[in-house]
Amino acid sequence: MATAGVAVANGSGGADTKAAFKEIYSKLKEEMLEDPAFEFTDESLQWIDRQMVDYNVLGGKCNRGLSVIDSYKILRGVDVLSKEETFLACTLGWCIEWLQAYFLVLDDIMDNSQTRRGQPCWFRVPQVGLIAVNDGIILRNHISRILQRHFKGKPYYVDLIDLFNEVEFKTASGQLLDLITTHEGEKDLSKYNLTVHRRIVQYKTAYYSFYLPVACALLLAGENLDNFGDVKNILVEMGTYFQVQDDYLDCYGDPDFIGKIGTDIEDYKCSWLVVQALERTDEDQKKILFENYGKSDPACVAKVKDLYKELNLEEVFHEYERESYTKLTADIEAQPNKAVQTVLKSFLHKIYKRDK
């Protein structure tokens, strides 16, 4: 259940939006290379320009970043933003993509991963190695430099800084919980339960993937985030539901369709499915789970999947999905602000019953 596995399916953005978004990336990267705070050597410029930033920031679907623009348009009640509004919304979107890159560079080192987005993880690239740790720190610092350059003087500047700092802290704390639960010492399934799973998902994924893009759009629209506590809760719930879907698809999705072969069972992940299984097993079934979960032998994986079938976990998931959708819809419709309702419904519509 790595951060990696979560690619938000909300902000799709039209072709024009995507083109504008890409164009602004080039400008932001250029500014980072001309930052007067550091005297770059030719070698360090080349490292950042030709390799590090493009390799790590680009390559994803950019859904988190694009959803800032989509959400801001809805909040403003317009189909077309001014040039200045487009620039600011795209810039905040890219700050989220930079944040994602920073998380993933370090996450891959901690997980000792091999590939990311169809290419070797950054630290696996020859000549990079553990320089990747410092690169992650540089990527994080780029965000602060971008925000200072383009938002200092805006009435919401301090709120933006606080927002990114808080979301980063929540995500890093979620990562810590994930690491010590799933990696520390001996493998111990008894550590896994619904409360632990929920807490990891909320903090490691939901805040930065679902809440952060909308919070950025609300600040751009001149809103006070203190007035949108319910919206934060709804988005975090949505992010939790999204990760549960991811856990389900890892086991039951069509690999050809979703683009990857699920390995949560082999990787000993604190998946929603294994947590549900632990809640439902008798002693004999629990023994099967403890003996076979976390092993790469296909026969062991098959035994775990057979047990999931015996426990009818597919239907348990479908029931969870129905209940989540009903509750989220009711919570969204209780929001007094119609534009906010539209933003939240657009997120939910994109992820409900997704199959990839």
Side-chain angles (χ1 to χ4, degrees), residues 69 116 152 154 187 218 221 254 257 282 309 335 347:
I69 307 151
R116 160 80 57 193
K152 195 171 184 181
K154 303 281 184 199
K187 292 179 175 179
L218 285 166
D254 177 354
F257 190 61
D282 60 29
K309 191 170 186 179
Q335 289 302 303
F347 271 61

Side-chain angles (χ1 to χ4, degrees), residues 20 104 122 149-150 180 196 214 231-232 236 247 295 327 339:
L104 297 186
W122 178 237
R149 180 185 280 256
H150 296 291
I180 63 177
V196 168
V214 176
V231 172
K232 179 195 277 191
V236 170
D247 291 355
K295 293 184 177 160
K327 184 179 186 311

